[in-house]
C-alpha cells in the first residue's frame, strides 16, 4: 500500500507544480488560464504532502526513499508558496482592488465576458478589465483600459463586440490593452 501512496504523491505533486507554473505563465502572457484556481492547487499540494508522508512506508530501495523525500520537500515548498499566494490574493481582493462591474453575454450565448474595475490606489492606476469565460474555470483576459471607470458594451454580431468603442473579434482571438 505504501508503494501506491509513494507513486501517487510523487506524480500528484508533479502535476500540481506543472499547473502552478502554467497558471503563472498564462497570467503573465494573458493566454487562456486552464489551471484550476489557486486554492484548488493548494488542496492538491496538501494531499500530495500527506500521501508523501504515508509513502515513507515504502522502503524497498533507495529510489523509493528518495522519491518520498523529494515528494515531501516539493509538496511542502509548493504548499507554502500557494498558501502565500492565496493569502495575498484574499487580502488584496478584500480591499476593493477588483470590483465586479457587470457580466455580458453574446446574442447566441456562446461568449460571456466579466468586467472588473481595478484600482491600485496610490501605488498605481485604475481602469477596467474584461475576462472572457470559457468552459469550467477557464478564463482569458481580453480587455484592459486604464483611466476609465465604466464600460459600455454593444454586440455587433455573435462574435464581434464593441467595448468602449473598441471592436474585438472574439472568434479571431482579438484583445485590447494586452500585448
Amino acid at each position: 500500500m505504501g508503494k501506491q501512496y509513494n507513486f501517487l504523491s510523487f506524480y500528484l505533486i508533479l502535476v500540481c507544480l506543472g499547473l502552478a507554473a502554467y497558471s503563472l505563465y498564462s497570467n503573465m502572457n494573458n493566454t487562456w488560464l486552464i489551471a484550476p484556481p489557486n486554492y484548488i492547487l493548494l488542496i492538491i499540494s496538501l494531499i500530495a504532502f500527506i500521501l508523501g508522508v504515508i509513502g515513507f512506508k515504502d522502503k524497498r530501495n533507495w529510489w523509493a526513499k528518495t522519491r518520498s523525500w523529494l515528494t515531501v520537500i516539493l509538496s511542502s515548498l509548493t504548499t507554502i508558496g500557494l498558501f502565500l499566494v492565496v493569502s495575498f490574493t484574499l487580502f488584496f481582493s478584500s480591499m476593493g482592488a477588483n470590483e465586479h462591474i457587470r457580466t455580458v453575454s453574446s446574442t447566441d450565448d456562446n461568449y460571456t465576458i466579466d468586467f472588473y474595475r481595478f484600482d491600485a490606489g496610490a501605488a498605481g492606476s485604475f481602469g477596467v478589465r474584461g475576462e472572457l469565460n470559457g468552459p469550467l474555470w477557464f478564463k482569458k483576459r481580453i480587455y484592459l483600459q486604464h483611466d476609465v471607470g465604466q464600460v459600455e458594451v454593444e454586440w455587433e454580431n455573435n462574435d464581434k463586440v464593441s467595448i468602449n468603442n473598441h471592436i474585438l473579434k472574439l472568434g479571431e482571438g482579438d484583445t485590447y490593452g494586452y500585448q
Side-chain angles (χ1 to χ4, degrees), residues 25-124:
Y25 169 80
S26 66
N27 279 318
M28 291 174 66
N29 294 315
N30 300 307
T31 60
W32 277 101
L33 178 61
I34 61 172
N38 289 332
Y39 65 90
I40 300 293
L41 292 177
L42 176 62
I43 292 169
I44 292 171
S45 67
L46 281 171
I47 291 170
F49 177 77
I50 293 168
L51 293 176
V53 169
I54 295 171
F56 275 121
K57 293 178 185 176
D58 184 17
K59 298 181 183 193
R60 291 176 294 130
N61 54 25
W62 67 272
W63 175 237
K65 294 175 190 176
T66 305
R67 188 172 47 234
S68 292
W69 277 108
L70 189 63
T71 300
V72 168
I73 291 169
L74 284 176
S75 62
S76 61
L77 291 174
T78 305
T79 300
I80 291 168
L82 286 170
F83 179 76
L84 291 173
V85 167
V86 169
S87 300
F88 184 78
T89 304
L90 285 174
F91 177 72
F92 284 107
S93 66
S94 67
M95 297 176 82
N98 288 316
E99 178 186 344
H100 185 264
I101 300 173
R102 65 192 280 200
T103 301
V104 296
S105 295
S106 63
T107 53
D108 61 353
D109 288 331
N110 280 341
Y111 298 103
T112 303
I113 306 172
D114 290 323
F115 289 98
Y116 299 92
R117 182 180 301 121
F118 64 89
D119 187 0

Side-chain angles (χ1 to χ4, degrees), residues 30 140-144 167-170 172-179:
N30 300 307
K140 182 179 181 185
R141 293 180 178 172
I142 61 165
Y143 184 80
L144 176 69
I167 306 285
L168 298 178
K169 297 176 185 173
L170 299 178
E172 297 175 11
D174 284 352
T175 62
Y176 177 81
Y178 293 108
Q179 297 177 344

